[in-house]
């Protein structure tokens, strides 16, 4: 009986393995198609053609995500899409952008929930940057302050509802770039962006933190495991007369950070760290053009 049971188990495992291999092959085909469409989108000469091509990309991506167990497929060859799973594997965010003819960007993405191989559950992210009059507003997936995310940090503490800190790149215009610290939480069937979890100078009631700086500058915004916090360059105008004109802001050589304390992000100023810009910055900033800022005292 034991031998018979073991034989049945081995057959079942082999069947599952074969099924998984076949599923991966199908996903590989989808990924190849997505790479071709993404390449065509980038090469498109007009915004109309970019929009049309990107619409095909979205439809193809959704079809791929409808495949059983698609949640575990990494899309690691699809370089234009950032695929970031939450550390607890409960969801992942897929996000990307399409650059427009005038140098601005439109953002696209979706939150895919981990249903354990069950029916697909997506929250499409609708970029409403141009229609959000208050950049500090709490929004949802249908009114998204678009960005291409590259890191997720879960935060749980005591009785506070758990949330996730998202770090994102947000190309802005032909003269300035933005990065964002976004707060993501879930409320039943809603995806919520923004929450007053920041603690520090000038941060009261802040629901997200947005950095804007000159296009030619590279800015660090990352999780530093050694420091145990989210660290970022301190930005300052390149000249005192440029105060408030963020297209003339750049890193001044010092660092600040947020440390998770009591379920909040507590501002830590004047950190001593080595400047290690995120790899994405290399796509948009020429180090030879970096502006050496004059810090205002």
């Amino acid at each position: 009986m034991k031998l018979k049971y073991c034989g049945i188990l081995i057959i079942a495992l082999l069947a599952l393995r074969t099924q998984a291999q076949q599923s991966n092959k199908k996903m590989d085909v989808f990924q190849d198609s997505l790479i071709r469409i993404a390449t065509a989108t980038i090469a498109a000469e007009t915004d109309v053609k970019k929009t049309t091509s990107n619409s095909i990309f979205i439809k193809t991506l959704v079809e791929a995500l409808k495949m059983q167990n698609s949640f575990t497929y990494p899309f690691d060859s699809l370089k234009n899409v950032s695929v970031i799973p939450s550390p607890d594997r409960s969801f992942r965010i897929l996000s990307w952008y399409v650059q427009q003819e005038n140098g601005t960007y439109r953002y696209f993405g979706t939150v895919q929930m981990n249903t354990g191989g069950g029916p697909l559950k997506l929250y499409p992210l609708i970029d409403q940057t141009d229609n959000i009059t208050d950049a500090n507003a709490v929004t949802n997936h249908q009114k998204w302050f678009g960005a291409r995310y590259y890191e997720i940090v879960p935060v749980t503490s005591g009785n506070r509802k758990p949330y996730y800190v998202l770090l994102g790149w947000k190309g802005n215009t032909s003269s300035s770039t933005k990065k964002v610290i976004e707060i993501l939480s879930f409320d039943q069937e809603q995806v919520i962006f923004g929450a007053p979890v920041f603690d520090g100078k000038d941060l009261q009631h802040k629901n997200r933190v947005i950095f804007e700086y000159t296009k030619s500058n590279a800015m660090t915004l990352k999780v530093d495991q050694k420091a145990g916090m989210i660290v970022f360059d301190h930005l300052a105008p390149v000249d005192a007369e440029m105060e408030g004109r963020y297209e003339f802001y750049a890193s001044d050589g010092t660092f600040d950070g947020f440390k998770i304390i009591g379920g909040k992000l507590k501002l830590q100023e004047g950190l001593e760290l080595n400047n290690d810009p995120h790899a994405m910055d290399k796509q948009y900033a020429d180090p030879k053009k970096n502006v050496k800022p004059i810090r205002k005292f």
Side-chain angles (χ1 to χ4, degrees):
M1 289 295 293
K2 288 184 178 179
L3 288 175
K4 183 178 179 181
Y5 175 78
C6 289
I8 293 172
L9 181 60
I10 291 171
I11 292 171
L13 290 173
L14 288 173
L16 287 173
R17 181 180 177 181
T18 300
Q19 185 180 8
Q21 290 174 339
Q22 291 174 343
S23 178
N24 280 338
K25 286 181 180 179
K26 291 179 180 179
M27 292 299 292
D28 287 342
V29 172
F30 270 118
Q31 179 171 241
D32 289 342
S33 296
L34 288 166
I35 291 171
R36 288 195 297 272
I37 300 168
T39 302
T41 303
I42 294 169
E45 297 176 351
T46 67
D47 289 344
V48 172
K49 290 181 179 179
K50 287 177 184 287
T51 299
T52 300
S53 184
N54 188 63
S55 295
I56 298 171
F57 181 90
I58 293 171
K59 291 178 181 178
T60 306
L61 178 61
V62 172
E63 287 301 312
L65 296 179
K66 287 180 180 178
M67 293 289 294
Q68 190 174 12
N69 298 316
S70 68
F71 185 87
T72 59
Y73 190 80
F75 292 103
D76 49 358
S77 295
L78 189 59
K79 302 304 181 183
N80 69 306
V81 176
S82 174
V83 183
I84 308 296
S86 63
D88 59 11
R89 309 293 295 181
S90 62
F91 70 94
R92 66 178 180 174
I93 300 180
L94 296 84
S95 56
W96 68 97
Y97 62 83
V98 175
Q99 187 171 9
Q100 305 296 288
E101 293 177 84
N102 62 2
T104 62
Y105 299 80
R106 289 188 63 193
Y107 293 88
F108 302 86
T110 189
V111 177
Q112 181 184 13
M113 306 305 295
N114 187 355
T115 59
L120 178 64
K121 187 174 183 180
L122 294 178
Y123 293 97
L125 301 177
I126 311 302
D127 183 11
Q128 293 285 346
T129 301
D130 293 340
N131 299 319
I132 297 175
T133 56
D134 179 7
N136 193 50
V138 175
T139 65
N140 56 35
H141 67 282
Q142 295 178 327
K143 195 174 184 181
W144 175 48
F145 189 71
R148 188 180 193 269
Y149 301 121
Y150 54 86
E151 284 195 83
I152 296 180
V153 182
V155 179
T156 56
S157 179
N159 296 325
R160 178 180 290 276
K161 189 175 182 179
Y163 63 89
Y164 300 85
V165 181
L166 310 178
L167 305 185
W169 182 90
K170 187 173 177 65
N172 188 41
T173 66
S174 58
S175 59
S176 74
T177 300
K178 290 182 179 181
K179 283 190 176 181
V180 59
I181 302 177
E182 182 66 271
I183 307 302
L184 168 67
S185 60
F186 296 92
D187 184 8
Q188 296 181 1
E189 294 299 311
Q190 284 288 323
V191 175
I192 307 299
F193 288 104
V197 298
F198 300 95
D199 184 5
K201 182 176 63 177
D202 301 325
L203 291 171
Q204 189 176 14
H205 306 307
K206 276 282 185 182
N207 293 311
R208 66 178 55 83
V209 173
I210 303 166
F211 305 91
E212 183 177 359
Y213 51 94
T214 180
K215 192 82 169 182
S216 61
N217 187 69
M219 178 197 173
T220 294
L221 173 61
K222 67 174 186 177
V223 176
D224 189 309
Q225 298 294 346
K226 290 183 179 179
M229 65 179 74
I230 297 167
V231 300
F232 50 90
D233 284 303
H234 185 91
L235 301 176
V238 298
D239 187 275
E241 295 182 359
M242 302 298 181
E243 182 80 32
R245 298 180 63 184
Y246 296 104
E247 67 271 26
F248 296 107
Y249 274 52
S251 307
D252 68 0
T254 66
F255 296 86
D256 301 324
F258 284 110
K259 192 173 185 65
I260 300 172
I261 300 175
K264 288 211 164 191
L265 302 185
K266 178 71 174 179
L267 180 64
Q268 313 287 308
E269 297 182 287
L271 304 176
E272 295 184 6
L273 300 166
N274 293 321
N275 193 341
D276 183 20
H278 190 271
M280 282 191 64
D281 287 322
K282 295 179 182 178
Q283 301 177 39
Y284 313 102
D286 182 354
K288 294 179 182 179
K289 297 180 182 178
N290 278 358
V291 180
K292 185 177 181 181
I294 301 174
R295 191 175 182 182
K296 182 180 178 182
F297 291 93

